[in-house]
Amino acid sequence: MFIDGAEEATIGQYANYGPNNEVYLAQGQAISFKLTGNTNEIASIQIGAKAPNGAATMVVEGKVSTTTRLEQQLNTATEMYYNITEQAKDGQLVTISNTGNGILSLTNLKITYKTSGQTVTLSDLTAEEQANAVAMVQALFAAPVETVQPERFDASWGGSVRAGRKATLTVKASEDVDAITVDGVTVSSYTTRTERTGWGWWSPKVTYRVFTYTATAPAQTTDYAVCAVNAEGTASEPITATLTVRPATWWNWWF
């Protein structure tokens, strides 16, 4: 490895004493920037990057109203250029993170323009933009949300109703479910029932829990997100319970 005239160097020396015109990101580190000026005249934007120890993962995210993302595996210590026009165009907030195990080195921005004589510069980030950048990086490294998978979990409104009438959602769940949520509303009361698992009196019985949720039917057919919650407070992935609402007509107004 060649570093500032030294024929041999460790990766630690490279990270601490590398060239001043490069930015080094260890795993979990990130850098953010935003271009200002004649950004509508930009034709392409490329970032120079390399992996000094031969392995790194570069994630580039750009955000204005929506987020665009580029994930690039780097397997060479030689500087290469990667197109980030979609992430950096139009003055978007750009965040570059290293999600790999090795060091990520960022070297240079190459910008081409649609017409000659155009320039852009790096802009200072506002407090809101800094907060958005931090949120994007935290989302990359957030631990996966723990969920539970009940042995039994099904939900049904039972039938269609007319707008404005009372509708009841019935949820049948196994005994490992202590509560449910319906669009974020918690229901913890339930009744316990048993049923046979097959035909005939000799079939074994299973015990299950029945939760009910009552709502006023909205003006149109609506989906409700229903989650099961265990004794530790861990929720399941939501299932969808669709409440079918009948249109109000002269022949069904009384039921």
Side-chain angles (χ1 to χ4, degrees):
M1 184 181 293
F2 178 82
I3 303 173
D4 286 348
E7 292 184 0
E8 299 292 332
T10 66
I11 194 66
Q13 290 173 314
Y14 194 88
N16 294 326
Y17 307 111
N20 292 329
N21 62 341
E22 296 183 15
V23 174
Y24 299 96
L25 301 178
Q27 183 183 38
Q29 292 184 326
I31 186 171
S32 296
F33 67 89
K34 185 178 70 172
L35 298 175
T36 187
N38 300 328
T39 56
N40 59 328
E41 291 295 324
I42 292 176
S44 69
I45 306 171
Q46 294 180 310
I47 184 75
K50 56 186 177 180
N53 61 344
T57 303
M58 177 176 66
V59 176
V60 185
E61 292 184 307
K63 181 174 183 179
V64 177
S65 56
T66 59
T67 300
T68 59
R69 177 172 173 171
L70 167 70
E71 183 169 338
Q72 180 67 52
Q73 301 291 329
L74 279 69
N75 299 306
T76 176
T78 302
E79 179 186 32
M80 304 287 287
Y81 280 86
Y82 303 92
N83 193 326
I84 60 168
T85 307
E86 189 65 23
Q87 288 71 39
K89 67 181 181 181
D90 300 327
Q92 296 186 95
L93 172 65
V94 181
T95 299
I96 302 177
S97 308
N98 180 11
T99 62
N101 295 323
I103 291 175
L104 171 63
S105 170
L106 304 177
T107 59
N108 194 22
L109 275 177
K110 279 187 177 180
I111 303 175
T112 61
Y113 300 94
K114 300 173 185 176
T115 58
S116 60
Q118 307 297 328
T119 59
V120 294
T121 58
L122 293 176
S123 171
D124 292 333
L125 301 185
T126 65
E128 181 180 359
E129 289 169 337
Q130 292 178 35
N132 287 338
V134 171
M136 283 194 288
V137 176
Q138 288 176 337
L140 278 176
F141 296 95
V145 178
E146 182 183 1
T147 60
V148 296
Q149 187 171 357
E151 294 179 15
R152 178 180 182 179
F153 183 47
D154 52 77
S156 173
W157 287 99
S160 61
V161 296
R162 192 163 62 87
R165 294 298 180 92
K166 184 178 74 172
T168 300
L169 174 69
T170 301
V171 178
K172 297 180 180 180
S174 48
E175 290 186 289
D176 53 351
V177 176
D178 274 36
I180 64 167
T181 62
V182 183
D183 278 359
V185 178
T186 301
V187 178
S188 56
S189 60
Y190 58 86
T191 57
T192 301
R193 296 180 182 175
T194 60
E195 65 181 5
R196 296 192 183 276
T197 58
W199 296 100
W201 60 267
W202 58 86
S203 300
K205 291 183 178 181
V206 294
T207 302
Y208 63 98
R209 295 173 176 177
V210 179
F211 300 82
T212 58
Y213 171 82
T214 302
T216 300
Q220 58 188 5
T221 296
T222 304
D223 289 338
Y224 291 79
V226 186
C227 294
V229 182
N230 66 10
E232 288 73 35
T234 304
S236 68
E237 292 289 342
I239 61 175
T240 300
T242 301
L243 174 59
T244 302
V245 179
R246 298 194 305 270
T249 58
W250 65 268
W251 51 267
N252 70 1
W253 66 269
W254 62 88
F255 63 89

